[in-house]
Amino acid sequence: QVELVESGGGFVQPGTSLRLSCSASGRTFSNYVLAWFRQAPGKEREFLGLISRRGEETFYSDVVNGRFSISRNNAENTMYLYVNNLAPEDTAVYYCAANEKFIIPFSGKYWGQGTQVTVSS
């Protein structure tokens, strides 16, 4: 299996940008399709997007609205989520997930513990 750890969250102001990281250990990182989810207070967890094993394909949910970008560096066993023009409604716990299979809708087989992002002035 693979262990995932998110980082990069924090308290940020509206209109700014943020980069979240998802670091992995365990099995070969490039074996996994990776995805980002988030869960806002009182809401269900929602899918944001995914990236293929070698990073040549990405797929985003409509909620992203062009403000999010996912990339990965297999040599460093890390995936990234870039978020631009943050808004208070982006406040949530952000999770990364992994699955050996490229399936949509994505089903996470392994999950990180999440990183909190709070957007407020």
Side-chain angles (χ1 to χ4, degrees):
Q1 67 178 48
V2 62
E3 292 77 41
L4 304 172
V5 178
E6 302 92 338
S7 62
F11 199 92
V12 296
Q13 291 193 340
T16 60
S17 299
L18 190 67
R19 186 187 78 169
L20 302 180
S21 300
C22 173
S23 299
S25 60
R27 300 289 294 274
T28 304
F29 185 68
S30 58
N31 285 348
Y32 297 93
V33 179
L34 302 172
W36 285 99
F37 290 75
R38 70 182 180 185
Q39 187 166 19
K43 296 187 177 181
E44 293 186 354
R45 185 169 57 195
E46 65 179 349
F47 170 77
L48 299 176
L50 62 76
I51 188 165
S52 59
R53 296 177 189 82
R54 289 180 293 180
E56 73 275 21
E57 291 185 74
T58 53
F59 177 84
Y60 297 97
S61 168
D62 289 342
V63 301
V64 168
N65 198 25
R67 294 188 299 117
F68 293 50
S69 178
I70 298 173
S71 66
R72 67 189 292 168
N73 184 330
N74 285 348
E76 296 183 355
N77 288 358
T78 304
M79 172 180 63
Y80 302 99
L81 176 68
Y82 300 85
V83 185
N84 297 316
N85 194 22
L86 282 156
E89 52 265 34
D90 294 317
T91 295
V93 178
Y94 285 72
Y95 298 90
C96 61
N99 195 321
E100 293 93 338
K101 299 179 180 179
F102 191 115
I103 50 175
I104 297 174
F106 185 85
S107 176
K109 186 175 180 180
Y110 306 103
W111 292 86
Q113 83 291 346
T115 185
Q116 174 71 48
V117 174
T118 302
V119 185
S120 176
S121 55

PDB file of all heavy atoms in Angstrom, residues 15-44:
ATOM      1  N   GLY A  15      -8.279  35.928  -2.384  1.00  0.00           N
ATOM      2  CA  GLY A  15      -7.583  36.467  -3.535  1.00  0.00           C
ATOM      3  C   GLY A  15      -6.167  35.978  -3.715  1.00  0.00           C
ATOM      4  O   GLY A  15      -5.550  36.207  -4.760  1.00  0.00           O
ATOM      5  N   THR A  16      -5.650  35.313  -2.716  1.00  0.00           N
ATOM      6  CA  THR A  16      -4.276  34.806  -2.807  1.00  0.00           C
ATOM      7  C   THR A  16      -4.261  33.404  -3.414  1.00  0.00           C
ATOM      8  O   THR A  16      -5.306  32.819  -3.695  1.00  0.00           O
ATOM      9  CB  THR A  16      -3.606  34.776  -1.436  1.00  0.00           C
ATOM     10  OG1 THR A  16      -4.357  33.919  -0.550  1.00  0.00           O
ATOM     11  CG2 THR A  16      -3.557  36.163  -0.827  1.00  0.00           C
ATOM     12  N   SER A  17      -3.053  32.869  -3.599  1.00  0.00           N
ATOM     13  CA  SER A  17      -2.871  31.538  -4.169  1.00  0.00           C
ATOM     14  C   SER A  17      -2.219  30.637  -3.142  1.00  0.00           C
ATOM     15  O   SER A  17      -1.589  31.108  -2.183  1.00  0.00           O
ATOM     16  CB  SER A  17      -2.016  31.615  -5.433  1.00  0.00           C
ATOM     17  OG  SER A  17      -2.637  32.415  -6.412  1.00  0.00           O
ATOM     18  N   LEU A  18      -2.345  29.337  -3.380  1.00  0.00           N
ATOM     19  CA  LEU A  18      -1.830  28.372  -2.430  1.00  0.00           C
ATOM     20  C   LEU A  18      -1.377  27.130  -3.175  1.00  0.00           C
ATOM     21  O   LEU A  18      -1.972  26.767  -4.209  1.00  0.00           O
ATOM     22  CB  LEU A  18      -2.928  27.996  -1.432  1.00  0.00           C
ATOM     23  CG  LEU A  18      -2.547  27.170  -0.196  1.00  0.00           C
ATOM     24  CD1 LEU A  18      -1.659  27.991   0.729  1.00  0.00           C
ATOM     25  CD2 LEU A  18      -3.820  26.744   0.532  1.00  0.00           C
ATOM     26  N   ARG A  19      -0.329  26.496  -2.677  1.00  0.00           N
ATOM     27  CA  ARG A  19       0.085  25.203  -3.212  1.00  0.00           C
ATOM     28  C   ARG A  19       0.048  24.169  -2.100  1.00  0.00           C
ATOM     29  O   ARG A  19       0.713  24.317  -1.084  1.00  0.00           O
ATOM     30  CB  ARG A  19       1.495  25.259  -3.805  1.00  0.00           C
ATOM     31  CG  ARG A  19       1.885  23.955  -4.502  1.00  0.00           C
ATOM     32  CD  ARG A  19       3.331  23.958  -4.941  1.00  0.00           C
ATOM     33  NE  ARG A  19       4.244  23.709  -3.826  1.00  0.00           N
ATOM     34  CZ  ARG A  19       5.536  23.459  -3.960  1.00  0.00           C
ATOM     35  NH1 ARG A  19       6.073  23.449  -5.177  1.00  0.00           N
ATOM     36  NH2 ARG A  19       6.294  23.242  -2.905  1.00  0.00           N
ATOM     37  N   LEU A  20      -0.731  23.138  -2.305  1.00  0.00           N
ATOM     38  CA  LEU A  20      -0.769  22.017  -1.386  1.00  0.00           C
ATOM     39  C   LEU A  20       0.067  20.882  -1.945  1.00  0.00           C
ATOM     40  O   LEU A  20       0.158  20.708  -3.159  1.00  0.00           O
ATOM     41  CB  LEU A  20      -2.210  21.535  -1.176  1.00  0.00           C
ATOM     42  CG  LEU A  20      -3.191  22.576  -0.656  1.00  0.00           C
ATOM     43  CD1 LEU A  20      -4.575  21.947  -0.500  1.00  0.00           C
ATOM     44  CD2 LEU A  20      -2.731  23.163   0.653  1.00  0.00           C
ATOM     45  N   SER A  21       0.663  20.119  -1.053  1.00  0.00           N
ATOM     46  CA  SER A  21       1.486  18.982  -1.454  1.00  0.00           C
ATOM     47  C   SER A  21       0.924  17.701  -0.876  1.00  0.00           C
ATOM     48  O   SER A  21       0.327  17.700   0.205  1.00  0.00           O
ATOM     49  CB  SER A  21       2.931  19.163  -0.967  1.00  0.00           C
ATOM     50  OG  SER A  21       3.508  20.325  -1.505  1.00  0.00           O
ATOM     51  N   CYS A  22       1.134  16.627  -1.587  1.00  0.00           N
ATOM     52  CA  CYS A  22       0.765  15.292  -1.132  1.00  0.00           C
ATOM     53  C   CYS A  22       1.994  14.407  -1.335  1.00  0.00           C
ATOM     54  O   CYS A  22       2.346  14.097  -2.476  1.00  0.00           O
ATOM     55  CB  CYS A  22      -0.426  14.765  -1.918  1.00  0.00           C
ATOM     56  SG  CYS A  22      -0.847  13.042  -1.562  1.00  0.00           S
ATOM     57  N   SER A  23       2.619  14.035  -0.252  1.00  0.00           N
ATOM     58  CA  SER A  23       3.826  13.210  -0.317  1.00  0.00           C
ATOM     59  C   SER A  23       3.474  11.767  -0.035  1.00  0.00           C
ATOM     60  O   SER A  23       2.621  11.479   0.810  1.00  0.00           O
ATOM     61  CB  SER A  23       4.856  13.704   0.695  1.00  0.00           C
ATOM     62  OG  SER A  23       5.229  15.034   0.407  1.00  0.00           O
ATOM     63  N   ALA A  24       4.149  10.864  -0.723  1.00  0.00           N
ATOM     64  CA  ALA A  24       3.816   9.451  -0.602  1.00  0.00           C
ATOM     65  C   ALA A  24       5.023   8.622  -0.220  1.00  0.00           C
ATOM     66  O   ALA A  24       6.159   8.957  -0.568  1.00  0.00           O
ATOM     67  CB  ALA A  24       3.231   8.949  -1.916  1.00  0.00           C
ATOM     68  N   SER A  25       4.764   7.552   0.467  1.00  0.00           N
ATOM     69  CA  SER A  25       5.794   6.575   0.784  1.00  0.00           C
ATOM     70  C   SER A  25       5.169   5.194   0.694  1.00  0.00           C
ATOM     71  O   SER A  25       3.945   5.044   0.732  1.00  0.00           O
ATOM     72  CB  SER A  25       6.363   6.808   2.184  1.00  0.00           C
ATOM     73  OG  SER A  25       5.355   6.698   3.157  1.00  0.00           O
ATOM     74  N   GLY A  26       6.007   4.214   0.553  1.00  0.00           N
ATOM     75  CA  GLY A  26       5.487   2.857   0.450  1.00  0.00           C
ATOM     76  C   GLY A  26       5.722   2.297  -0.935  1.00  0.00           C
ATOM     77  O   GLY A  26       6.834   2.334  -1.442  1.00  0.00           O
ATOM     78  N   ARG A  27       4.657   1.857  -1.575  1.00  0.00           N
ATOM     79  CA  ARG A  27       4.779   1.248  -2.893  1.00  0.00           C
ATOM     80  C   ARG A  27       5.173   2.282  -3.945  1.00  0.00           C
ATOM     81  O   ARG A  27       5.172   3.472  -3.698  1.00  0.00           O
ATOM     82  CB  ARG A  27       3.437   0.602  -3.262  1.00  0.00           C
ATOM     83  CG  ARG A  27       2.985  -0.482  -2.306  1.00  0.00           C
ATOM     84  CD  ARG A  27       3.821  -1.759  -2.422  1.00  0.00           C
ATOM     85  NE  ARG A  27       3.657  -2.412  -3.691  1.00  0.00           N
ATOM     86  CZ  ARG A  27       2.694  -3.271  -3.958  1.00  0.00           C
ATOM     87  NH1 ARG A  27       1.808  -3.593  -3.045  1.00  0.00           N
ATOM     88  NH2 ARG A  27       2.635  -3.850  -5.142  1.00  0.00           N
ATOM     89  N   THR A  28       5.511   1.831  -5.110  1.00  0.00           N
ATOM     90  CA  THR A  28       5.972   2.694  -6.187  1.00  0.00           C
ATOM     91  C   THR A  28       4.937   3.759  -6.515  1.00  0.00           C
ATOM     92  O   THR A  28       3.807   3.462  -6.885  1.00  0.00           O
ATOM     93  CB  THR A  28       6.260   1.858  -7.443  1.00  0.00           C
ATOM     94  OG1 THR A  28       7.203   0.839  -7.125  1.00  0.00           O
ATOM     95  CG2 THR A  28       6.817   2.732  -8.554  1.00  0.00           C
ATOM     96  N   PHE A  29       5.360   4.991  -6.363  1.00  0.00           N
ATOM     97  CA  PHE A  29       4.463   6.149  -6.495  1.00  0.00           C
ATOM     98  C   PHE A  29       3.805   6.188  -7.866  1.00  0.00           C
ATOM     99  O   PHE A  29       2.620   6.492  -7.994  1.00  0.00           O
ATOM    100  CB  PHE A  29       5.279   7.407  -6.229  1.00  0.00           C
ATOM    101  CG  PHE A  29       4.491   8.678  -6.204  1.00  0.00           C
ATOM    102  CD1 PHE A  29       3.585   8.926  -5.186  1.00  0.00           C
ATOM    103  CD2 PHE A  29       4.669   9.648  -7.178  1.00  0.00           C
ATOM    104  CE1 PHE A  29       2.868  10.101  -5.138  1.00  0.00           C
ATOM    105  CE2 PHE A  29       3.957  10.827  -7.144  1.00  0.00           C
ATOM    106  CZ  PHE A  29       3.059  11.060  -6.121  1.00  0.00           C
ATOM    107  N   SER A  30       4.570   5.883  -8.889  1.00  0.00           N
ATOM    108  CA  SER A  30       4.048   6.001 -10.253  1.00  0.00           C
ATOM    109  C   SER A  30       3.038   4.905 -10.598  1.00  0.00           C
ATOM    110  O   SER A  30       2.476   4.916 -11.689  1.00  0.00           O
ATOM    111  CB  SER A  30       5.203   5.971 -11.262  1.00  0.00           C
ATOM    112  OG  SER A  30       5.945   4.778 -11.119  1.00  0.00           O
ATOM    113  N   ASN A  31       2.794   3.985  -9.688  1.00  0.00           N
ATOM    114  CA  ASN A  31       1.764   2.971  -9.918  1.00  0.00           C
ATOM    115  C   ASN A  31       0.358   3.509  -9.704  1.00  0.00           C
ATOM    116  O   ASN A  31      -0.613   2.854 -10.064  1.00  0.00           O
ATOM    117  CB  ASN A  31       1.947   1.784  -8.970  1.00  0.00           C
ATOM    118  CG  ASN A  31       3.111   0.892  -9.366  1.00  0.00           C
ATOM    119  OD1 ASN A  31       3.667   1.017 -10.456  1.00  0.00           O
ATOM    120  ND2 ASN A  31       3.486  -0.011  -8.472  1.00  0.00           N
ATOM    121  N   TYR A  32       0.260   4.719  -9.127  1.00  0.00           N
ATOM    122  CA  TYR A  32      -1.015   5.206  -8.648  1.00  0.00           C
ATOM    123  C   TYR A  32      -1.532   6.418  -9.408  1.00  0.00           C
ATOM    124  O   TYR A  32      -0.786   7.364  -9.702  1.00  0.00           O
ATOM    125  CB  TYR A  32      -0.928   5.559  -7.166  1.00  0.00           C
ATOM    126  CG  TYR A  32      -0.609   4.371  -6.300  1.00  0.00           C
ATOM    127  CD1 TYR A  32       0.699   4.073  -5.957  1.00  0.00           C
ATOM    128  CD2 TYR A  32      -1.620   3.534  -5.848  1.00  0.00           C
ATOM    129  CE1 TYR A  32       0.998   2.968  -5.191  1.00  0.00           C
ATOM    130  CE2 TYR A  32      -1.334   2.426  -5.074  1.00  0.00           C
ATOM    131  CZ  TYR A  32      -0.022   2.147  -4.746  1.00  0.00           C
ATOM    132  OH  TYR A  32       0.268   1.050  -3.991  1.00  0.00           O
ATOM    133  N   VAL A  33      -2.811   6.377  -9.700  1.00  0.00           N
ATOM    134  CA  VAL A  33      -3.557   7.567 -10.087  1.00  0.00           C
ATOM    135  C   VAL A  33      -3.855   8.317  -8.798  1.00  0.00           C
ATOM    136  O   VAL A  33      -4.239   7.714  -7.791  1.00  0.00           O
ATOM    137  CB  VAL A  33      -4.861   7.192 -10.806  1.00  0.00           C
ATOM    138  CG1 VAL A  33      -5.656   8.434 -11.182  1.00  0.00           C
ATOM    139  CG2 VAL A  33      -4.553   6.338 -12.031  1.00  0.00           C
ATOM    140  N   LEU A  34      -3.670   9.634  -8.828  1.00  0.00           N
ATOM    141  CA  LEU A  34      -3.829  10.432  -7.623  1.00  0.00           C
ATOM    142  C   LEU A  34      -4.929  11.471  -7.809  1.00  0.00           C
ATOM    143  O   LEU A  34      -5.137  11.966  -8.926  1.00  0.00           O
ATOM    144  CB  LEU A  34      -2.520  11.127  -7.284  1.00  0.00           C
ATOM    145  CG  LEU A  34      -1.310  10.219  -7.074  1.00  0.00           C
ATOM    146  CD1 LEU A  34      -0.049  11.061  -6.953  1.00  0.00           C
ATOM    147  CD2 LEU A  34      -1.495   9.356  -5.842  1.00  0.00           C
ATOM    148  N   ALA A  35      -5.559  11.810  -6.714  1.00  0.00           N
ATOM    149  CA  ALA A  35      -6.666  12.765  -6.785  1.00  0.00           C
ATOM    150  C   ALA A  35      -6.674  13.665  -5.560  1.00  0.00           C
ATOM    151  O   ALA A  35      -6.106  13.328  -4.520  1.00  0.00           O
ATOM    152  CB  ALA A  35      -7.993  12.019  -6.896  1.00  0.00           C
ATOM    153  N   TRP A  36      -7.326  14.799  -5.710  1.00  0.00           N
ATOM    154  CA  TRP A  36      -7.578  15.721  -4.610  1.00  0.00           C
ATOM    155  C   TRP A  36      -9.080  15.800  -4.361  1.00  0.00           C
ATOM    156  O   TRP A  36      -9.878  15.866  -5.304  1.00  0.00           O
ATOM    157  CB  TRP A  36      -7.051  17.114  -4.924  1.00  0.00           C
ATOM    158  CG  TRP A  36      -5.567  17.253  -4.834  1.00  0.00           C
ATOM    159  CD1 TRP A  36      -4.679  17.235  -5.866  1.00  0.00           C
ATOM    160  CD2 TRP A  36      -4.796  17.448  -3.634  1.00  0.00           C
ATOM    161  NE1 TRP A  36      -3.400  17.388  -5.388  1.00  0.00           N
ATOM    162  CE2 TRP A  36      -3.444  17.534  -4.021  1.00  0.00           C
ATOM    163  CE3 TRP A  36      -5.116  17.553  -2.280  1.00  0.00           C
ATOM    164  CZ2 TRP A  36      -2.410  17.725  -3.110  1.00  0.00           C
ATOM    165  CZ3 TRP A  36      -4.085  17.743  -1.375  1.00  0.00           C
ATOM    166  CH2 TRP A  36      -2.751  17.826  -1.785  1.00  0.00           C
ATOM    167  N   PHE A  37      -9.421  15.831  -3.080  1.00  0.00           N
ATOM    168  CA  PHE A  37     -10.784  16.040  -2.614  1.00  0.00           C
ATOM    169  C   PHE A  37     -10.742  17.138  -1.562  1.00  0.00           C
ATOM    170  O   PHE A  37      -9.684  17.487  -1.038  1.00  0.00           O
ATOM    171  CB  PHE A  37     -11.339  14.767  -1.955  1.00  0.00           C
ATOM    172  CG  PHE A  37     -11.621  13.630  -2.893  1.00  0.00           C
ATOM    173  CD1 PHE A  37     -10.591  12.872  -3.421  1.00  0.00           C
ATOM    174  CD2 PHE A  37     -12.924  13.315  -3.234  1.00  0.00           C
ATOM    175  CE1 PHE A  37     -10.848  11.811  -4.281  1.00  0.00           C
ATOM    176  CE2 PHE A  37     -13.199  12.248  -4.087  1.00  0.00           C
ATOM    177  CZ  PHE A  37     -12.162  11.503  -4.602  1.00  0.00           C
ATOM    178  N   ARG A  38     -11.904  17.645  -1.214  1.00  0.00           N
ATOM    179  CA  ARG A  38     -11.996  18.538  -0.074  1.00  0.00           C
ATOM    180  C   ARG A  38     -13.334  18.337   0.613  1.00  0.00           C
ATOM    181  O   ARG A  38     -14.305  17.875   0.010  1.00  0.00           O
ATOM    182  CB  ARG A  38     -11.830  20.003  -0.487  1.00  0.00           C
ATOM    183  CG  ARG A  38     -12.980  20.571  -1.282  1.00  0.00           C
ATOM    184  CD  ARG A  38     -12.700  22.011  -1.682  1.00  0.00           C
ATOM    185  NE  ARG A  38     -13.802  22.577  -2.459  1.00  0.00           N
ATOM    186  CZ  ARG A  38     -13.772  23.785  -3.017  1.00  0.00           C
ATOM    187  NH1 ARG A  38     -12.702  24.556  -2.878  1.00  0.00           N
ATOM    188  NH2 ARG A  38     -14.805  24.205  -3.702  1.00  0.00           N
ATOM    189  N   GLN A  39     -13.354  18.689   1.880  1.00  0.00           N
ATOM    190  CA  GLN A  39     -14.594  18.613   2.649  1.00  0.00           C
ATOM    191  C   GLN A  39     -14.725  19.869   3.487  1.00  0.00           C
ATOM    192  O   GLN A  39     -13.906  20.119   4.379  1.00  0.00           O
ATOM    193  CB  GLN A  39     -14.619  17.378   3.533  1.00  0.00           C
ATOM    194  CG  GLN A  39     -15.947  17.161   4.236  1.00  0.00           C
ATOM    195  CD  GLN A  39     -16.074  15.780   4.830  1.00  0.00           C
ATOM    196  OE1 GLN A  39     -15.094  15.078   5.041  1.00  0.00           O
ATOM    197  NE2 GLN A  39     -17.310  15.365   5.106  1.00  0.00           N
ATOM    198  N   ALA A  40     -15.737  20.645   3.159  1.00  0.00           N
ATOM    199  CA  ALA A  40     -16.029  21.865   3.897  1.00  0.00           C
ATOM    200  C   ALA A  40     -16.884  21.523   5.109  1.00  0.00           C
ATOM    201  O   ALA A  40     -17.574  20.499   5.125  1.00  0.00           O
ATOM    202  CB  ALA A  40     -16.738  22.855   2.992  1.00  0.00           C
ATOM    203  N   PRO A  41     -16.880  22.401   6.113  1.00  0.00           N
ATOM    204  CA  PRO A  41     -17.682  22.141   7.314  1.00  0.00           C
ATOM    205  C   PRO A  41     -19.152  21.926   6.978  1.00  0.00           C
ATOM    206  O   PRO A  41     -19.751  22.727   6.259  1.00  0.00           O
ATOM    207  CB  PRO A  41     -17.475  23.406   8.143  1.00  0.00           C
ATOM    208  CG  PRO A  41     -16.174  23.958   7.692  1.00  0.00           C
ATOM    209  CD  PRO A  41     -16.079  23.630   6.229  1.00  0.00           C
ATOM    210  N   GLY A  42     -19.695  20.834   7.460  1.00  0.00           N
ATOM    211  CA  GLY A  42     -21.105  20.557   7.253  1.00  0.00           C
ATOM    212  C   GLY A  42     -21.479  20.064   5.878  1.00  0.00           C
ATOM    213  O   GLY A  42     -22.669  19.910   5.572  1.00  0.00           O
ATOM    214  N   LYS A  43     -20.482  19.810   5.042  1.00  0.00           N
ATOM    215  CA  LYS A  43     -20.756  19.361   3.679  1.00  0.00           C
ATOM    216  C   LYS A  43     -20.092  18.020   3.405  1.00  0.00           C
ATOM    217  O   LYS A  43     -19.195  17.603   4.122  1.00  0.00           O
ATOM    218  CB  LYS A  43     -20.260  20.400   2.669  1.00  0.00           C
ATOM    219  CG  LYS A  43     -20.979  21.731   2.748  1.00  0.00           C
ATOM    220  CD  LYS A  43     -20.565  22.643   1.608  1.00  0.00           C
ATOM    221  CE  LYS A  43     -21.334  23.940   1.633  1.00  0.00           C
ATOM    222  NZ  LYS A  43     -20.953  24.836   0.511  1.00  0.00           N
ATOM    223  N   GLU A  44     -20.554  17.379   2.350  1.00  0.00           N
ATOM    224  CA  GLU A  44     -19.947  16.118   1.960  1.00  0.00           C
ATOM    225  C   GLU A  44     -18.602  16.364   1.278  1.00  0.00           C
ATOM    226  O   GLU A  44     -18.361  17.432   0.705  1.00  0.00           O
ATOM    227  CB  GLU A  44     -20.888  15.364   1.018  1.00  0.00           C
ATOM    228  CG  GLU A  44     -22.171  14.896   1.681  1.00  0.00           C
ATOM    229  CD  GLU A  44     -23.008  14.020   0.766  1.00  0.00           C
ATOM    230  OE1 GLU A  44     -22.645  13.868  -0.421  1.00  0.00           O
ATOM    231  OE2 GLU A  44     -24.018  13.482   1.244  1.00  0.00           O
TER     232      GLU A  44
END
